[in-house]
Amino acid sequence: MKIVESIHEMRDIAERTRIDGKIIGFVPTMGCLHEGHLSLMRKAREEVDLLIISIFVNPAQFAQGEDYDRYPRDLDEDIRKASEIGADIIFYPGKEKIYPDNYHTVVIVEKITNKLCGVSRPSFFRGVATVVTKLFNIVRPHKAYFGEKDYQQLVVIRKMVKDLNMDIKIIGIPIIRESNGLAMSSRNLYLTDRERASALSLSRSLNRAKEMVDSGERAAERIISEMKSIIESGRFTEIDYIAVCDPEEFEDVDKIKERVLIALAVRIGKTRLIDNCIVEVK
Ligand code: AMP
């Protein structure tokens, strides 16, 4: 496995791989790799000739006062895990290369980025869409893999790729959870033991929501209220949002008639966690 820090070298490798007629798969990450990331990489490994992962903690998707500086970083462990999966290249560019001093361009996906996480993090998706576009232009993948853990992000990337006619297949991968239900996230490392125990209420509330729909409940309001009481019964919790919405445009749904996304963001102490599930009406 090769570590590539230079944009020029990365583009060269991508160009040669394409000329050879080989398929490039890409898994963008912010590092501190866990089983969630590794499941994307394993899936990609099965499907492509050259597997490139990127590790870049993207300053453009963190607002002032968010956790950019203290975001967990562990390159040595990441290298070990990625090479165990059989990744071919870790692209590790560093922020001065991605955003030089005279950098002025952004990519904005409208409308769907104003909902859910976009309300409390108004510049987040602009940062994500911009960096993913740049990484796509450098790595030039045929296929790119994103987790359903960040469901809105996956939909935003799909929309951007379609709207901007990017010739890349976007593949969504199911959420990987700890055995206790907690969705894996690099930010789980911030949690104290007591906060971690409280954080279990997120997946518990989603399971309860699913159960309610399965047993015939159709009123989003009653589902949200039940989820709220489960989450608020835990300590250190502050709900950012709980939404029952359509999974494409994220418009709120009052009465559940078809497939819906149930999504939430909750602060546990200082740590903001997200989770979601798709619920089908049987
Ligand atoms: P991040 O490093 O947090 O930016 O995540 C990189 C990619 O891994 C994104 O596509 C995430 O959606 C995905 N990912 C993170 N956590 C999980 C998880 N628990 N299950 C599945 N995918 C995940």
Side-chain angles (χ1 to χ4, degrees), residues 27-40 54 56 61 71 124 145-151 153-154 171 173-178 182-188:
V27 178
T29 82
M30 298 210 294
C32 201
L33 303 180
H34 51 66
E35 274 302 315
H37 299 114
L38 302 188
S39 73
L40 272 61
S54 63
F56 180 64
Q61 69 191 63
Y71 194 85
F124 173 71
Y145 299 78
F146 291 84
E148 290 176 359
K149 155 85 184 347
D150 301 271
Y151 198 92
Q153 170 174 282
L154 169 64
I171 293 148
I173 304 287
I175 302 177
I176 301 295
R177 299 177 180 281
E178 293 180 2
L182 181 65
M184 290 198 181
S185 161
S186 307
R187 290 192 167 98
N188 292 349

Side-chain angles (χ1 to χ4, degrees), residues 106 109 263:
V106 295
V109 177

Side-chain angles (χ1 to χ4, degrees), residues 9-255:
E9 186 184 358
M10 189 66 259
R11 292 179 64 93
D12 255 17
I13 295 171
E15 177 67 11
R16 275 187 276 119
T17 307
R18 282 186 164 252
I19 288 171
D20 288 348
K22 299 212 166 114
I23 301 296
I24 302 177
F26 181 42
V27 178
T29 82
M30 298 210 294
C32 201
L33 303 180
H34 51 66
E35 274 302 315
H37 299 114
L38 302 188
S39 73
L40 272 61
M41 292 163 58
R42 283 196 193 97
K43 178 71 177 158
R45 183 65 290 174
E46 288 168 9
E47 296 186 346
V48 304
D49 300 309
L50 187 78
L51 171 55
I52 302 172
I53 76 158
S54 63
I55 296 180
F56 180 64
V57 183
N58 175 32
Q61 69 191 63
F62 291 80
Q64 283 285 333
E66 289 188 345
D67 55 341
Y68 175 73
D69 289 328
R70 66 184 192 115
Y71 194 85
R73 294 160 169 91
D74 190 348
L75 185 60
D76 290 343
E77 264 300 288
D78 289 350
I79 291 172
R80 193 186 61 73
K81 289 173 182 165
S83 83
E84 222 170 85
I85 303 283
D88 297 299
I89 292 175
I90 293 184
F91 179 48
Y92 182 66
K95 76 170 184 220
E96 291 73 19
K97 293 202 180 101
I98 296 293
Y99 301 113
D101 281 345
N102 55 352
Y103 188 84
H104 294 321
T105 305
V106 295
V107 178
I108 295 175
V109 177
E110 293 187 314
K111 201 159 175 259
I112 53 174
T113 54
N114 299 329
K115 306 274 173 58
L116 307 181
C117 287
V119 175
S120 59
R121 305 186 77 192
S123 56
F124 173 71
F125 289 110
R126 184 178 69 187
V128 169
T130 302
V131 83
V132 170
T133 299
K134 284 174 68 72
L135 292 169
F136 281 175
N137 284 335
I138 297 165
V139 169
R140 302 194 47 217
H142 298 85
K143 295 176 162 190
Y145 299 78
F146 291 84
E148 290 176 359
K149 155 85 184 347
D150 301 271
Y151 198 92
Q152 188 178 12
Q153 170 174 282
L154 169 64
V155 173
V156 167
I157 299 294
R158 280 215 169 102
K159 186 86 187 131
M160 175 184 87
V161 163
K162 181 161 186 279
D163 286 355
L164 297 183
N165 309 96
M166 295 177 175
D167 189 14
I168 300 171
K169 185 160 186 224
I170 302 299
I171 293 148
I173 304 287
I175 302 177
I176 301 295
R177 299 177 180 281
E178 293 180 2
S179 55
N180 58 20
L182 181 65
M184 290 198 181
S185 161
S186 307
R187 290 192 167 98
N188 292 349
L189 289 172
Y190 296 148
L191 301 171
T192 64
D193 288 349
R194 289 188 309 172
E195 287 172 342
R196 186 173 271 272
S198 258
L200 301 185
S201 65
L202 275 59
S203 56
R204 219 181 306 129
S205 75
L206 289 167
N207 288 339
R208 177 72 189 125
K210 228 185 278 178
E211 236 172 61
M212 289 174 78
V213 177
D214 285 349
S215 52
E217 182 60 79
R218 295 290 176 265
E221 199 185 325
R222 279 201 285 274
I223 292 169
I224 291 172
S225 144
E226 176 90 359
M227 292 175 71
K228 201 162 169 255
S229 75
I230 292 172
I231 291 168
E232 285 175 344
S233 71
R235 287 190 296 173
F236 323 110
T237 57
E238 189 195 324
I239 294 169
D240 176 355
Y241 68 81
I242 300 176
V244 176
C245 58
D246 83 83
E248 276 89 39
E249 298 287 330
F250 311 125
E251 298 289 352
D252 283 336
V253 164
D254 295 330
K255 283 264 172 286

